[in-house]
Amino acid sequence: MKLEKSQTAQHIIEKISATASKVGFISDTVLSNALLQIENVGIPNNKHEDYKYCNIDSILKKEFKNIEQNFINVTAINEYKIKDTITLVVVNGNYSEALSDKIILKGLQVHSFANIDSSANKLISTIADVQKDVFIAMNTAFCSNGFYLKIQKGEKLKMPIHIIYISGSETEALVNSRNFIELEEQSEATIIEEQILIGQGKVFTNFLSEKFISKNAKLNSTLFQNEGHLGYSVNTNQIKQEQDSQYHNHTITLSGQLVRNNHNVLLAGQNSEANLNGLFYSKENQIIDNHTLMDHQAPHCESNELYKGIIKDKSTGVFNGKIFVRKDAQKTNAYQSSKNILLSDDASIYAKPQLEIYANDVKCSHGTSTGKIDEKALFYLNTRGIGKESAKKLLLRSFAQEIINKIEPESLKEKITLFFEKNL
Amino acid sequence: MISIKNLHASVNGKKILNGINLEIKAGEIHAIMGPNGSGKSTLSSVLAGHPDYEVTEGEIIFNGKNLLELEAENRAREGLFLAFQYPVEIPGVSNINFLKTAINEIREYNGLEQMAAKDFLAMVKEKQKLVELDGKLTNRSVNEGFSGGEKKRNEIFQLAMLEPKLAILDETDSGLDIDALKIVANGVNMLKNKNNAFIVITHYQRLLDYIIPDFVHVLYNGKIVKSGTKEMALELEAKGYDEVKKEFDFKK
């Protein structure tokens, strides 16, 4: 059994270990734990409760038989830039200083993993536990030369940071992309992460971001995913918040053959706040699977989650939101809501809220709704001369706007709106 | 303007309209009255092109076109308007954006250019006054959180903006207090001209004190059983619908 489980993993390890970074910023202990974990757990299939609707083992077996790691060398990224932002570029998992803007913004430090000092090195892998998920383990064992980003104490960044993760291959390839983002005490930043795929080959990305938000710090972030039908990815966003900190995130997924997002927030210090907003739009036979985990460990924290899905054609959408309220997390406010529109009879959505509460003085709620486009509203619009197609678009746009309107800065909101409109 | 001949219609297999005949000319206001369940709202839904209603017999000619062959949106583009009894709330779609889309799709269908933003806004301002609709409401989502009266006024505001040839008011008076009723009626009277026509569907005579109809029809069991002038409405109000019911149930 164990042997069978690790077969896919073994195949992948052989293929990617050659191109994995040998930078050595992962300690030997962590590395051997990671390797052990991969061997023990293997790549999850649909028998694995957490990966029930997204059988990654079978997808890898079927779609990634001929991994060649034949990457495209990206030389220009101007077309992806967003005005009035600092651009950082990661190509096929490796931080590219050459393509990134010069870091001259006060309070901001960025280094590739190969160039970090020992204090930063110690932080890596402290938030994402290799025992928790096999993709964390795999990323830890085989990640490329990603980056460490720090906002210094007390600094409020004057400009948003736009991180472009661009990957591309002419044949099948695997990327293990990783970063660590640290906001020191009382700092503030807006960070945009955008995943782009080029080339004609299928690329499987195992993305991992650890984000540490210190006391009184505030992070506003957006993850924008639009990789198209060649993009397969598991994205782990592992957040740790200290007291009085704030985390606002918008995860916008407009396409991807397989997109699995593991968004895990640990509220470790009291009075902290986390807001997760999600919008996903799946079509054809795509699978977009959002798993969130809100772990309330400290008292007086608040979390809000709102995920909206539009599921078209034969595609599958998943929202699985787990809220833990640990026994010390008194006076917790935790809210979660998932709303979905199915655009065809063949589209599926699996929405599952999970609450586990061990404290006795908390306010928690969750709700999920799934429906078709509101026929009454559609008819009302028709009677005003608005045609079927544009009426449908008007309604979908209004459904998405609740999420899109929260996105900052304005230039990013416009970019996402434009891509969303194209999808309609 | 519109000619309805021997119209039979059903919804979910249940027959509601049993042969309606009605002829309306430009410049006329027709009131359709009748007890609950007589088919008044079905008639308005059928005219507007609601997909759940099936026309089993008869024809409707609207300005020379076979109305029954047109989809709901094309009926609107041809100049038909239905003011809903229960206007629908559409969260997230602003009134302004909604109206701009509607006007431009109607114009496109009729071979006209898009309306300039400046002209559109001027029109909004002017028509808002007509129904005394608060400017703030036009910037909000369509009907979302509107009071009953505000929703009805918003219907008449849309009517004013879209300038239809034939407007059907489906129990626009229901749920309105006397002040709101006067505002709505006043709006309709200002919009009335020799080139358009109105069908006013109502349960009570009250609205007809303010919108004076040229003809009054009584609908019962899916048929127009009586037609006359506005005096007939007063008579109905005095006697109630029981008289009509007795008379026609007996004939049946």
Side-chain angles (χ1 to χ4, degrees), chain A residues 131-384:
Chain A
Q131 312 283 346
K132 285 276 153 70
D133 187 281
V134 74
F135 291 98
I136 295 178
M138 193 183 285
N139 187 291
T140 304
F142 300 107
C143 69
S144 308
N145 189 17
F147 66 90
Y148 164 79
L149 182 154
K150 177 159 89 173
I151 319 291
Q152 285 169 322
K153 190 174 173 180
E155 296 288 349
K156 293 176 173 55
L157 284 199
K158 293 270 185 297
M159 243 192 237
I161 301 165
H162 178 206
I163 307 165
I164 297 173
Y165 301 95
I166 185 162
S167 299
S169 171
E170 295 305 345
T171 51
E172 288 155 30
L174 286 162
V175 171
N176 281 283
S177 178
R178 185 179 182 119
N179 67 52
F180 194 105
I181 292 172
E182 181 185 11
L183 275 81
E184 290 192 326
E185 288 182 17
Q186 289 168 328
S187 66
E188 269 184 47
T190 297
I191 295 178
I192 304 157
E193 296 180 271
E194 181 174 3
Q195 297 174 333
I196 296 164
L197 191 68
I198 54 170
Q200 303 303 313
K202 289 179 252 183
V203 175
F204 188 100
T205 305
N206 178 13
F207 172 84
L208 173 61
S209 177
E210 291 178 277
K211 295 187 174 83
F212 184 58
I213 309 172
S214 311
K215 243 166 94 175
N216 257 312
K218 183 179 170 186
L219 174 62
N220 187 319
S221 68
T222 299
L223 174 60
F224 178 35
Q225 306 171 309
N226 194 14
E227 291 199 330
H229 69 284
L230 296 171
Y232 296 74
S233 64
V234 175
N235 308 282
T236 307
N237 240 309
Q238 199 77 33
I239 319 297
K240 184 173 180 180
Q241 290 184 249
E242 287 194 327
Q243 72 177 74
D244 301 308
S245 66
Q246 283 184 50
Y247 174 59
H248 303 276
N249 176 269
H250 322 278
T251 296
I252 314 292
T253 313
L254 294 187
S255 71
Q257 190 54 40
L258 166 76
V259 181
R260 166 59 180 253
N261 293 321
N262 292 321
H263 201 164
N264 307 325
V265 181
L266 174 61
L267 292 154
Q270 60 179 344
N271 264 318
S272 49
E273 181 188 335
N275 295 300
L276 309 186
N277 297 300
L279 173 69
F280 60 95
Y281 192 140
S282 59
K283 53 182 174 293
E284 291 150 9
N285 57 346
Q286 298 173 348
I287 300 173
I288 298 180
D289 180 344
N290 278 296
H291 269 60
T292 69
L293 170 63
M294 193 60 78
D295 193 351
H296 282 265
Q297 293 198 344
H300 296 282
C301 293
E302 180 168 332
S303 67
N304 294 289
E305 288 177 70
L306 173 62
Y307 269 76
K308 289 189 150 187
I310 301 171
I311 304 102
K312 203 177 166 179
D313 305 327
K314 290 180 171 174
S315 67
T316 303
V318 181
F319 174 75
N320 188 304
K322 193 183 264 183
I323 298 174
F324 273 125
V325 182
R326 309 282 177 185
K327 77 175 196 313
D328 293 332
Q330 298 295 2
K331 304 282 180 192
T332 287
N333 288 326
Y335 306 104
Q336 185 193 83
S337 162
S338 127
K339 296 176 183 171
N340 306 290
I341 293 183
L342 293 171
L343 290 182
S344 89
D345 291 341
D346 298 323
S348 325
I349 175 81
Y350 302 93
K352 185 178 174 193
Q354 287 174 280
L355 275 170
E356 280 187 36
I357 302 173
Y358 302 98
N360 53 21
D361 186 11
V362 302
K363 280 185 195 151
C364 292
S365 75
H366 64 79
T368 175
S369 66
T370 296
K372 294 188 170 181
I373 267 204
D374 183 352
E375 294 288 337
K376 272 189 189 150
L378 208 55
F379 177 62
Y380 189 73
L381 293 170
N382 292 155
T383 65
R384 296 322 185 229

